[in-house]
Amino acid sequence: MSPALSLRELRKSFGSLIATDGLSLDLAAGEVHAVIGPNGAGKSTLIGQITGELRPDTGMVLLNGRDVTGWPVERRALAGLGRSFQITQLVHGFTVEDNVALAVQARAGHSFRFWTDARSDTRLRNPARHALATTGLTARADTLVEDLSHGEMRQLELAVALALQPQVLILDEPMAGMGASDSRQVVSILRQLKGWVTILLVEHDMDAVFALADRISVLVAGRIVASGTAGEIRNDPRVRAAYLGEEKIHA
């Protein structure tokens, strides 16, 4: 069985800066795979190459066995690649449910010109409400985006990503800017997704990483220097020297 996501020898340079340096990685279907590393390790460049925002200089990106290296962002999304952003990307002036319904509409390939009619279209509303229930936002369905807390906005962004029915979900620092309570809420939501969607988690919150990840890969200077279970990564002296020594690690 092909990996859900396979990265083959990805290389990307910006002038003399090598951002990814022969990076290869496989994600099995249904697993949560975390990528950690210090600032400047190449994590953002890696995400850009997976999602199609950046074209690798060499190498391949395979989604469920298909070579999508040359595909644009939108085509990858329709093929089952979803993502959340480090900085929240939502439509202000619309309600929580409206934002998720827009994603359902985009997934179906409909034009936004018909949004007025779409407000009452159950083909859009029902999947949107399901995504809100999954992410714990049902009670906030009629709330305007700008009236949400930061943590709720991150939950909504996850609901929007899920509304696109991804097979592989790229999460770019979903805990960024959150307090402990909000982080625990998001970890709880992500635990519910384990097994039915493949997740690549890029995150600085090590408590969240160790709570969620089936496997962890450590990225340093564009290369994966170690990959393994949470226990293996915790106890790897190379990892401690390169990264974990910078963090407060909990057992």
Side-chain angles (χ1 to χ4, degrees), residues 13-220:
S13 298
F14 300 96
S16 61
L17 174 65
I18 300 175
T20 52
D21 188 8
L23 191 154
S24 295
L25 183 67
D26 287 338
L27 272 68
E31 84 164 306
V32 177
H33 195 119
V35 173
I36 64 173
N39 291 331
K43 299 187 296 295
S44 295
T45 300
L46 171 62
I47 289 175
Q49 290 172 94
I50 295 171
T51 60
E53 294 166 302
L54 292 173
R55 183 73 180 264
D57 298 332
T58 60
M60 297 172 63
V61 178
L62 303 174
L63 182 63
N64 292 315
R66 288 185 292 176
D67 182 0
V68 300
T69 311
W71 291 15
V73 173
E74 296 79 8
R75 187 178 177 189
R76 296 187 199 203
L78 290 174
L81 183 65
R83 74 163 296 180
S84 74
F85 294 83
Q86 186 174 5
I87 300 172
T88 303
Q89 307 278 317
L90 297 169
V91 183
H92 285 242
F94 281 51
T95 68
V96 166
E97 189 174 305
D98 286 344
N99 269 262
V100 185
L102 279 169
V104 177
Q105 189 178 39
R107 170 71 185 174
H110 298 316
S111 169
F112 292 140
R113 291 176 300 169
F114 304 110
W115 176 243
T116 301
D117 294 335
R119 285 180 179 273
S120 59
D121 190 335
T122 57
R123 292 172 298 177
L124 303 180
R125 290 289 155 176
N126 289 342
R129 287 166 185 158
H130 177 72
L132 291 179
T134 300
T135 54
L137 286 173
T138 298
R140 303 291 270 165
D142 296 326
T143 303
L144 291 175
V145 165
E146 49 266 42
D147 293 332
L148 297 177
S149 69
H150 175 72
E152 288 171 332
M153 285 188 180
R154 301 317 297 261
Q155 288 174 246
L156 176 55
E157 189 179 62
L158 181 57
V160 168
L162 292 175
L164 294 171
Q165 299 178 11
Q167 298 170 39
V168 177
L169 182 59
I170 311 299
L171 299 180
D172 185 5
E173 297 194 29
M175 319 296 173
M178 285 189 180
S181 177
D182 286 337
S183 292
R184 285 193 296 270
Q185 173 73 4
V186 172
V187 167
S188 177
I189 292 166
L190 294 178
R191 276 202 182 107
Q192 297 176 48
L193 302 179
K194 290 187 72 167
W196 71 270
V197 61
T198 305
I199 296 175
L200 179 67
L201 173 67
V202 176
E203 181 56 61
H204 281 296
D205 184 332
M206 297 307 301
D207 288 334
V209 166
F210 287 133
L212 290 167
D214 298 304
R215 290 191 298 150
I216 301 170
S217 291
V218 183
L219 187 63
V220 177

